């Protein structure tokens, strides 16, 4: 089931060059809120949590029972006024689980871990009833926050890996991407176990976890995969840069990713660059980028040469722009050269041309 209120219009498919038309076929409609920041669904309990709506605080959790998807019904509004920039309990993102961690007081209960702008918020939402007093809160995590944005639990429910969207942007002392690692083994007393500092200054956004890997969307530096086998000393295992123009502290590049397909594919969204579908190269380690040389046989033309790398299924995509440091895109793509081709000639050129 896909929950949406938007009109679904034809969109251009870069895969087959044609139009794909989505047809809206509503099996039901739920109209108790308008816009929302996003929706989290706990598949184990059958509840949807609408986040950042104009209801429930405003901005607290708007909980919808979708156990019967064709007949959704409102269950509760829950917020904690001790959190959020306006003290309304605004929740920017949340993960709710049937808890199976070390805090025996809550095993088997539905526990939600919220990123509430100013705090990490842990609440027991096993009983769905309205509350705007904070009485369902188990614990609040405080730190030198700039904007407590989002986080995800490790599979053993011991740790919460959290991102702050504005610390890199505003702090003069945080020069590279900072990821906070919370010890939540005592749900009533979440504490920062440590921080991971990334290799670039880009802003961090959504995190998701499978096993000992954290799949992190870091705006301009793309998808970063963190190995947390040693939770006290994480290391970067791999990355895919969706915004190769730079790694600046700016709001360009990727917001989110989805690593949970059984195929192992990872979907990464990028604000202006589009949707990337990736596959791990664990069994085929990436090779060093080829060196590129050029020759100008005639005025207005250039021939590019590069080292032969890859395999018979590889191809070299060529992009051209009059702007240095440009981002490759559909708009500036000019051609592909199939393996084993190692040269390309471009004609009818003006001055100041940059290739990627």
């Amino acid at each position: 089931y896909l929950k949406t209120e938007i009109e679904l219009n034809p969109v251009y498919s870069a895969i087959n060059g044609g139009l794909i038309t989505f047809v809206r076929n509503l099996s039901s409609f739920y109209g108790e809120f308008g816009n929302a920041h996003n929706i989290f669904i706990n598949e184990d309990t059958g509840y949807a949590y609408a986040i950042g709506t104009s209801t429930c605080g405003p901005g607290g959790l708007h909980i919808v029972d979708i156990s019967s998807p064709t007949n959704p019904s409102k269950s509760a509004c829950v917020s904690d006024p001790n959190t959020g920039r306006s003290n309304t309990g605004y929740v920017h993102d949340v993960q709710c689980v049937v808890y199976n961690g070390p805090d025996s007081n809550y095993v088997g209960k539905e526990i939600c871990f919220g990123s509430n702008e100013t705090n990490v918020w842990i609440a027991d939402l096993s009983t769905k009833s309205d509350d705007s007093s904070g009485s369902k809160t188990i614990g609040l995590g405080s730190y030198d926050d700039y904007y407590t944005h989002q986080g995800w639990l490790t599979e053993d429910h011991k740790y919460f890996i959290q991102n702050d969207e504005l610390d890199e942007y505003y702090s003069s002392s945080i020069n590279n991407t900072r990821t906070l690692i919370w010890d939540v083994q005592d749900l009533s007393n979440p504490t920062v176990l440590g921080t991971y500092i990334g290799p670039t200054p880009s802003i961090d956004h959504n995190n998701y976890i499978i096993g000992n890997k954290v799949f992190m969307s870091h705006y301009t530096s793309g998808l970063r995969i963190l190995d947390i086998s040693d939770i006290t000393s994480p290391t970067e295992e791999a990355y895919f840069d969706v915004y190769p123009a730079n790694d600046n502290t700016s709001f360009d590049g990727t917001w989110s990713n989805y690593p949970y397909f059984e195929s192992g594919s990872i979907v990464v969204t990028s604000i202006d660059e589009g949707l990337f579908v990736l596959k791990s190269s664990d069994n085929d380690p990436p090779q060093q980028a080829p060196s590129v040389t050029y020759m100008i046989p005639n005025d207005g033309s250039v021939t590019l040469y590069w080292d032969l790398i890859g395999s018979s299924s590889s191809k070299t995509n060529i992009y051209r722009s009059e702007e240095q440091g440009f981002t490759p895109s559909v708009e500036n793509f000019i051609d592909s050269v199939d393996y084993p081709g190692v040269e390309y000639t471009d004609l009818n050129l003006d001055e100041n041309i940059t290739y990627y």
Side-chain angles (χ1 to χ4, degrees), residues 63-259:
I63 308 171
V64 184
D65 183 347
I66 58 169
S67 56
S68 175
T70 59
N71 187 32
S73 60
K74 182 180 178 182
S75 292
C77 277
V78 178
S79 59
D80 186 332
N82 297 301
T83 67
R85 286 178 163 182
S86 301
N87 295 112
T88 63
Y90 179 92
V91 183
H92 193 73
D93 217 322
V94 75
Q95 181 189 11
C96 299
V97 299
V98 176
Y99 182 74
N100 191 31
D103 194 332
S104 59
N105 293 324
Y106 298 98
V107 171
K109 296 185 177 182
E110 186 167 19
I111 307 300
C112 292
F113 294 77
S115 296
N116 288 23
E117 296 186 310
T118 57
N119 299 86
V120 169
W121 174 53
I122 303 175
D124 182 356
L125 297 188
S126 303
T127 301
K128 306 298 187 290
S129 58
D130 291 340
D131 177 64
S132 58
S133 69
S135 66
K136 293 182 182 293
T137 297
I138 303 170
L140 292 177
S142 300
Y143 67 105
D144 58 330
D145 63 278
Y146 291 81
Y147 196 85
T148 309
H149 175 265
Q150 187 263 358
W152 209 254
L153 277 172
T154 55
E155 292 183 349
D156 58 12
H157 295 180
K158 290 182 178 181
Y159 305 100
F160 186 68
I161 313 298
Q162 178 241 321
N163 49 74
D164 186 307
E165 190 175 12
L166 297 180
D167 52 357
E168 298 88 6
Y169 191 77
Y170 284 119
S171 174
S172 59
S173 61
I174 299 173
N175 299 316
N176 278 11
T177 314
R178 178 181 69 158
T179 301
L180 292 102
I181 302 169
W182 290 85
D183 185 333
V184 293
Q185 297 183 72
D186 178 355
L187 295 181
S188 65
N189 184 33
T191 57
V192 176
L193 176 69
T195 59
Y196 166 75
I197 303 298
T200 76
S202 64
I203 298 168
D204 45 346
H205 214 254
N206 287 15
N207 300 332
Y208 302 100
I209 294 176
I210 298 177
N212 289 321
K213 294 181 181 180
V214 187
F215 297 80
M216 309 184 296
S217 281
H218 288 184
Y219 275 98
T220 54
S221 64
L223 175 72
R224 322 297 295 199
I225 301 178
L226 195 65
D227 183 344
I228 54 170
S229 300
D230 181 353
I231 195 68
T232 62
S233 184
T235 57
E236 185 172 276
E237 180 177 281
Y239 71 89
F240 184 87
D241 193 349
V242 300
Y243 191 81
N246 60 62
D247 295 323
N248 293 348
T249 307
S250 62
F251 298 98
D252 303 292
T254 176
W255 265 335
S256 196
N257 66 86
Y258 186 83

Side-chain angles (χ1 to χ4, degrees), residues 23 57 171 270 294 342:
V23 179
S171 174
S270 192
Y294 69 92
V342 291

Side-chain angles (χ1 to χ4, degrees), residues 236-285:
E236 185 172 276
E237 180 177 281
Y239 71 89
F240 184 87
D241 193 349
V242 300
Y243 191 81
N246 60 62
D247 295 323
N248 293 348
T249 307
S250 62
F251 298 98
D252 303 292
T254 176
W255 265 335
S256 196
N257 66 86
Y258 186 83
Y260 296 106
F261 292 107
E262 292 183 5
S263 64
S265 296
I266 307 165
V267 170
V268 183
T269 61
S270 192
I271 297 168
D272 292 316
E273 291 69 39
L275 186 74
F276 294 81
V277 182
L278 313 176
K279 200 70 178 273
S280 171
S281 58
D282 288 344
N283 298 321
D284 183 18

